[in-house]
Amino acid sequence: MKKIVYFDGHSVLNRAFYGISTLTTTDGFPTNAIYGFLAILFKIMEEEQPDYLAVAFDVHAPTFRHQMYDAYKGTRKPMPEDLHLQVPKMKEVLQAMGIPVFEQAGYEADDLIGTLAKKSRADGLEVVIVTGDRDLLQLVEPQIRVKLAKPVRGNSQAEDYTVEKVQEQYGLLPEQIIDLKGLMGDASDNIPGLPGVGEKTATAILKKFSTVENAHAHLEEITPPKAKRAFEEHYDMALLSKRLATICLEAPVAPDYEALQCRDYFNARAYQLFKELEFKRFLDRFDQEDTSREETLEFTQMDGETLLDTISRMEAGTAGIAFAQGWFALCAEGKGYIARIDAAAVLPVLQAHIRSVTTFNSRGLIDGLGVEIYDGWFFDARIAAYLLNPIKNSYDYDDIARDYLKLQCKSRKEWLDLKKSADPAATEDICRQQLSWEAFVADAARKVLEKELEMLQMHDLFYEMEMPLCVSLRCMEKKGVLIQPQELVDYSAYLSGQLDALQEKIYDAAGERFNINSPKQLGEILFEKLQLPASKKTKSGYSTAVEVLEKLKNDYPIVDDVLIYRQFSKFKSTYSDALPKFVAEDGRIHSDFLQTVTATGRISSANPNLQNIPVRTELGRSIRKVFVPREGCIFIDADYSQIELRVLAHLSKDEGLIQAFYEGEDIHKSTAAKVFHVPAAEVTPLQRRNAKAVNFGIVYGISAYGLSQDLGIPVKEAKAYIEQYFATYPKVEQFLKNIVASTKETGYSYTMFHRRRPVPEIHAANAVQRGFGERIAMNSPVQGSAADIMKLAMNAVHKELKERGLKSAIVLQVHDELLVEAPLEEADEVSAILKEKMESACSLAVPLVAELQRGSSWYETK
């Protein structure tokens, strides 16, 4: 039996819009609904393997139902603007893919789908209807299934409804869904139903009498009395509601199976649209050989000596370069050159004859030239693109070509795939093509990127902060941090011993052995065998999430042991087991420090991530014993004191907060004294702890509920704390309100240094997403400014160490902290440099304070 799939266009788009958080292209066009629709479409195509496919859309015009009932759908809010914009683009995508679309004035998509589905069933086809609307369940029969779509980012789902599933879910036959709507109504469509009759009562009536009409015929038998009165007084409304809910099966449409036949949807035109919409995840579905529409670049291939000679005669101001696998490509003044020659031979010649180069490989360039202090000679296009839009997840040359040159070209992955499938003799040519494109895009995009940076007041941010940071970070990566192998062995042995002991303790309490790491098995032990109070059981079993177990640990020792076991297990897998894999031949770990990952501007760490080592517990701090300076050296750790609160004081201009910092007070005790109206000397540890939570929570836009969870207090009490805080520091509250208002108006928040953070979530239709956007708006100027200050300080310290010819070097940067490995004889001088450069990194309304500690391990500095 052949199969046809009918998509309910607006319904699935609507579900996707609310199911997927804000998603936009580089230029701000919303795409979450389209993305979710396509995710469901592709999932259905893979699961169902249909022979035919079509999509039906509503038309913005009155239907026959409006003639029956003026108020039909009268309570619906207007479609959100971000969704409205995506509807025509969705249709454009479907048209490009060659997927037929049905629309008909006077009828809803449900009517078109109902008519088409019944005709296809009569023609002997198996029918699958994909929708987000349960109204279509009335169409289910043995040959027609409905799939209720749940588009979410990363794991879209569609739940199958057969006749049996509808009966199981509602206790009714599919055709009785119409009667159900007749009795209970439908608020979303403004179908009235019978007053006071809800789903439970309506279902009970229909189970007994089958239809609205038959129920009315047995009026005296209807219970409860309230429902009986509703039937007596409003039976006509029930009949009208049933007619309004009934899908028309005689709409003026018919399936043309030749036109509906599934074909190659992944064509060149669709590929172009997918790239414009920045749906990289879906591009793998296309045949790149057939869909690539790039023009051939004219790059002159020459030998290495000729390239060097050509460069020596150039008078170009700037050039784009790319190099890899022994090839070097250069593009300047509209001309391209490529040669097989090592970059180390070309770069010095370039420096002598080219004022500046643009690259996508600044780290390779730094390594090739041995650069230790940035001199302004290179321009990193990735970092420029990151500053212009820090919420993207990729800043490769093809992204920049598309976003700033309106040019489509192959990605690195696409080139790699070509190499894998190509004849070995052709891989050299593929490599040359790729590097030619990278050099061309680097050269062509620079002027556009510089113009954008200038327009958005980020020229100084780019040249004075981010570009020097490229060198600072690369030098830190190359230096690495030394690992003490024996400390790592000891730490691992300690964790293993603790895990073994905890495991036996948990087994004894449970009365049997089981997999503690299995949420399902753990849930069965805790909530079935031991009968601990549990939250509701789901299809996957009982929840054993941290927040669930935290509520039980004080009353049930086994739960506390499980939480401790998890903590030890995580430390073992994350640190003691994983760190040895990253130790290089020199005994050091050379982590990657990344500039283009976080939206706030913070530096991030990977391979391994050395910035997420906990410091609040002794177990977490203990891992720092593994990191040691080389022989004859010492670690100097410099940590900014409460930098985010100092930035908040500066930005808000709140006199009380500023005064507290100038007086050198314990800021948390000072806040507690003011908020709780007690002398500073009488502030209790609990009051200081609560004030600290409010201090830091305010920076992150914490809610009363969030604070109550953090402190374990009632929401009302937490709300009072926040209100008292704002009464104490009124300009902080006004600053945060102004930031939210400004971000709503512009779509961006800014740091002190003009770093721009887009906040599309602030305009989300979903209230939770909108609240998240408001918190981002409040936090980004503070956290982002603090990150910028650290970058300035890091650059200043790195430059000073190099200019003085010292052997000391920064080996780690962790948020507000710099760790320097210094020879013992340089320790005092380096400490002075750290103190001076960090505290003078920028001028605030309050003092910047860097606290220094020394130690023979990272642990000892804390």
Side-chain angles (χ1 to χ4, degrees):
M1 185 181 291
K2 290 194 172 183
K3 185 187 297 182
I4 188 165
V5 170
Y6 290 111
F7 259 77
D8 185 356
H10 272 108
S11 175
V12 176
L13 265 180
N14 192 67
R15 287 281 180 181
F17 180 76
Y18 289 101
I20 294 177
S21 59
T22 306
L23 192 66
T24 66
T25 60
T26 303
D27 58 8
F29 184 83
T31 58
N32 58 328
I34 302 172
Y35 181 91
F37 186 103
L38 290 172
I40 281 290
L41 174 66
F42 297 151
K43 188 175 184 69
I44 298 299
M45 288 169 65
E46 289 165 2
E47 290 178 351
E48 299 291 342
Q49 297 290 310
D51 300 283
Y52 309 99
L53 176 68
V55 180
F57 280 98
D58 295 321
V59 175
H60 186 61
T63 68
F64 65 90
R65 292 181 179 84
H66 292 91
Q67 296 172 4
M68 294 166 55
Y69 183 55
D70 286 343
Y72 178 65
K73 293 191 176 181
T75 55
R76 281 203 176 178
K77 295 179 180 178
M79 183 183 293
E81 180 62 20
D82 278 4
L83 176 56
H84 181 72
L85 289 171
Q86 294 180 69
V87 175
K89 182 60 73 172
M90 182 74 252
K91 293 179 182 177
E92 185 183 348
V93 170
L94 293 172
Q95 184 181 26
M97 295 178 72
I99 297 176
V101 169
F102 286 93
E103 296 176 297
Q104 181 68 50
Y107 295 88
E108 296 180 39
D110 290 5
D111 303 316
L112 305 183
I113 290 173
T115 302
L116 291 165
K118 297 294 183 180
K119 288 181 178 179
S120 293
R121 185 260 296 144
D123 291 336
L125 274 69
E126 179 185 355
V127 180
V128 178
I129 298 169
V130 183
T131 181
D133 189 350
R134 293 180 181 270
D135 289 353
L136 276 85
L137 294 177
Q138 63 186 268
L139 300 175
V140 172
E141 56 180 80
Q143 219 168 296
I144 300 176
R145 283 183 288 124
V146 167
K147 295 179 86 79
L148 287 179
K150 298 178 181 178
V152 293
R153 200 167 182 175
N155 188 28
S156 294
Q157 301 172 348
E159 191 175 5
D160 227 17
Y161 277 80
T162 59
V163 173
E164 293 75 22
K165 179 65 179 287
V166 173
Q167 285 182 296
E168 177 189 332
Q169 187 90 7
Y170 293 93
L172 302 172
L173 292 169
E175 57 266 28
Q176 290 180 288
I177 297 294
I178 307 167
D179 296 273
L180 183 66
K181 295 279 185 180
L183 295 180
M184 62 177 281
D186 186 339
S188 65
D189 288 338
N190 200 33
I191 295 175
L194 289 178
V197 175
E199 184 173 358
K200 186 176 179 180
T201 300
T203 301
I205 291 171
L206 293 175
K207 281 183 176 180
K208 187 173 183 180
F209 301 110
S210 297
T211 67
V212 170
E213 293 83 356
N214 193 44
H216 186 259
H218 295 81
L219 189 61
E220 296 304 319
E221 300 174 42
I222 291 177
T223 56
K226 183 179 180 181
K228 178 185 176 183
R229 285 196 304 274
F231 258 101
E232 290 174 334
E233 298 172 9
H234 302 284
Y235 176 54
D236 58 335
M237 194 61 72
L239 292 177
L240 172 63
S241 297
K242 180 175 177 178
R243 289 198 299 272
L244 290 172
T246 301
I247 291 173
C248 171
L249 303 180
E250 297 177 354
V253 289
D256 177 352
Y257 296 117
E258 184 176 348
L260 302 184
Q261 191 167 357
C262 290
R263 52 179 61 83
D264 178 19
Y265 298 132
F266 303 103
N267 54 58
R269 188 178 169 203
Y271 181 74
Q272 177 86 2
L273 269 175
F274 277 46
K275 276 211 160 188
E276 288 177 11
L277 292 167
E278 301 174 22
F279 291 158
K280 283 194 169 185
R281 177 187 163 195
F282 298 142
L283 294 181
D284 287 347
R285 298 174 178 273
F286 290 83
D287 179 354
Q288 299 306 301
E289 290 290 344
D290 295 334
T291 59
S292 178
R293 301 180 60 189
E294 303 159 2
E295 298 176 3
T296 303
L297 288 180
E298 295 294 334
F299 263 62
T300 302
Q301 185 174 336
M302 54 184 61
D303 60 58
E305 287 299 320
T306 306
L307 177 63
L308 295 177
D309 181 62
T310 301
I311 293 171
S312 68
R313 290 184 281 105
M314 279 186 175
E315 296 181 0
T318 64
I321 62 170
F323 49 94
Q325 300 175 28
W327 287 95
F328 196 99
L330 179 146
C331 187
E333 297 182 329
K335 295 180 181 180
Y337 311 92
I338 189 164
R340 175 165 275 289
I341 183 173
D342 192 82
V346 184
L347 293 174
V349 180
L350 269 176
Q351 272 195 310
H353 296 278
I354 302 292
R355 177 176 59 81
S356 178
V357 296
T358 307
T359 181
F360 292 96
N361 184 15
S362 62
R363 297 193 175 201
L365 190 150
I366 292 166
D367 292 349
L369 288 171
V371 177
E372 291 195 328
I373 300 176
Y374 182 66
D375 60 3
W377 186 65
F378 64 90
F379 178 104
D380 192 312
R382 289 177 193 262
I383 293 173
Y386 160 71
L387 287 181
L388 293 172
N389 188 359
I391 62 173
K392 283 173 60 66
N393 57 14
S394 176
Y395 303 94
D396 218 333
Y397 85 99
D398 60 309
D399 300 294
I400 291 173
R402 179 193 64 241
D403 298 341
Y404 298 98
L405 302 177
K406 306 304 177 187
L407 179 68
Q408 301 293 336
C409 53
K410 290 184 179 72
S411 66
R412 290 176 188 268
K413 183 181 182 302
E414 290 167 340
W415 287 115
L416 181 61
D417 290 343
L418 281 178
K419 289 175 189 174
K420 288 178 180 176
S421 60
D423 184 276
T427 57
E428 289 267 297
D429 183 57
I430 294 170
C431 182
R432 288 195 300 270
Q433 290 182 56
Q434 177 183 343
L435 292 176
S436 297
W437 272 103
E438 288 189 27
F440 169 78
V441 172
D443 183 53
R446 176 161 179 168
K447 287 183 180 178
V448 182
L449 293 169
E450 283 194 301
K451 184 178 179 181
E452 290 278 327
L453 289 170
E454 192 73 48
M455 185 176 71
L456 297 174
Q457 297 183 301
M458 288 194 283
H459 180 277
D460 292 347
L461 180 68
F462 177 76
Y463 280 105
E464 296 176 15
M465 185 187 299
E466 294 292 345
M467 292 308 297
L469 189 67
C470 287
V471 180
S472 301
L473 290 178
R474 187 59 188 148
C475 289
M476 182 172 69
E477 290 173 342
K478 290 167 71 177
K479 180 73 176 177
V481 59
L482 191 65
I483 292 294
Q484 170 55 263
Q486 189 56 49
E487 286 288 356
L488 198 54
V489 170
D490 293 346
Y491 187 71
S492 183
Y494 168 73
L495 292 176
S496 295
Q498 292 294 315
L499 283 168
D500 289 344
L502 281 165
Q503 185 172 267
E504 292 305 318
K505 193 176 178 184
I506 291 167
Y507 290 161
D508 288 345
E512 65 177 275
R513 303 178 80 84
F514 65 100
N515 184 356
I516 301 170
N517 295 315
S518 166
K520 185 175 186 298
Q521 292 184 36
L522 178 63
E524 289 170 354
I525 291 291
L526 296 179
F527 304 120
E528 290 184 0
K529 181 176 180 179
L530 300 181
Q531 292 292 299
L532 272 60
S535 54
K536 186 178 179 181
K537 186 178 181 181
T538 64
K539 291 180 182 178
S540 57
Y542 296 98
S543 172
T544 59
V546 173
E547 57 270 20
V548 173
L549 299 187
E550 284 284 348
K551 296 175 182 177
L552 301 172
K553 71 175 186 179
N554 293 331
D555 297 321
Y556 303 96
I558 187 175
V559 176
D560 193 33
D561 289 337
V562 167
L563 287 170
I564 297 170
Y565 178 90
R566 283 182 178 178
Q567 186 182 41
F568 276 82
S569 182
K570 180 181 178 181
F571 276 102
K572 189 172 188 304
S573 61
T574 306
Y575 302 115
S576 67
D577 292 347
L579 287 180
K581 301 172 186 176
F582 293 99
V583 178
E585 290 182 4
D586 61 0
R588 291 175 175 262
I589 286 180
H590 301 269
S591 181
D592 296 327
F593 288 88
L594 311 172
Q595 281 176 264
T596 61
V597 174
T598 67
T600 58
R602 270 191 168 188
I603 299 164
S604 60
S605 170
N607 303 317
N609 184 353
L610 297 179
Q611 295 187 331
N612 68 346
I613 295 176
V615 294
R616 293 184 180 179
T617 65
E618 181 58 29
L619 181 64
R621 285 192 296 273
S622 293
I623 190 63
R624 294 188 171 207
K625 293 177 181 178
V626 170
F627 299 90
V628 296
R630 63 182 170 86
E631 190 175 349
C633 292
I634 194 169
F635 275 157
I636 305 171
D637 185 282
D639 198 345
Y640 273 125
S641 170
Q642 299 162 343
I643 187 170
E644 290 188 356
L645 289 178
R646 293 173 190 271
V647 168
L648 178 63
H650 173 80
L651 293 175
S652 68
K653 299 180 174 59
D654 188 277
E655 293 86 354
L657 198 52
I658 291 171
Q659 181 185 4
F661 279 115
Y662 262 109
E663 292 174 355
E665 300 174 4
D666 174 335
I667 190 64
H668 303 310
K669 182 178 282 190
S670 175
T671 296
K674 293 173 181 175
V675 167
F676 299 117
H677 306 294
V678 296
E682 296 178 19
V683 169
T684 67
L686 178 61
Q687 286 174 326
R688 184 185 182 279
R689 171 177 167 263
N690 290 348
K692 182 177 180 179
V694 178
N695 267 331
F696 287 120
I698 290 297
V699 174
Y700 290 88
I702 199 167
S703 65
Y705 175 77
L707 184 62
S708 73
Q709 294 296 106
D710 287 350
L711 297 178
I713 59 176
V715 174
K716 186 177 181 180
E717 188 177 343
K719 185 173 184 288
Y721 283 175
I722 293 174
E723 288 173 350
Q724 288 167 346
Y725 179 94
F726 284 139
T728 304
Y729 303 124
K731 288 191 176 179
V732 171
E733 181 179 24
Q734 192 57 51
F735 163 72
L736 295 174
K737 286 181 178 178
N738 291 344
I739 284 292
V740 171
S742 170
T743 306
K744 285 180 178 178
E745 183 178 342
T746 65
Y748 301 91
S749 64
Y750 299 86
T751 72
M752 293 165 49
F753 303 91
H754 301 288
R755 184 183 300 277
R756 192 171 76 148
R757 204 292 195 191
V759 191
E761 297 90 347
I762 206 160
H763 296 301
N766 182 289
V768 174
Q769 281 294 313
R770 197 163 57 248
F772 175 63
E774 291 176 0
R775 290 192 294 278
I776 290 175
M778 287 186 268
N779 169 248
S780 292
V782 177
Q783 189 184 93
S785 295
D788 286 343
I789 292 168
M790 172 51 81
K791 288 180 176 181
L792 289 172
M794 185 177 181
N795 286 338
V797 170
H798 173 80
K799 184 178 180 183
E800 189 70 16
L801 294 177
K802 296 301 177 184
E803 288 184 343
R804 292 196 190 189
L806 298 173
K807 295 178 182 178
S808 301
I810 301 171
V811 293
L812 281 179
Q813 187 278 330
V814 181
H815 305 316
D816 306 332
E817 173 187 2
L818 287 181
L819 186 68
V820 174
E821 182 182 76
L824 291 170
E825 64 272 16
E826 295 180 2
D828 290 341
E829 184 179 2
V830 170
S831 294
I833 290 171
L834 277 166
K835 186 82 172 169
E836 193 273 323
K837 294 300 179 184
M838 290 182 71
E839 293 186 347
S840 64
C842 79
S843 177
L844 297 181
V846 296
L848 271 174
V849 175
E851 298 174 341
L852 273 63
Q853 298 289 337
R854 300 183 189 184
S856 58
S857 70
W858 192 12
Y859 176 83
E860 287 189 5
T861 67
K862 290 296 178 183

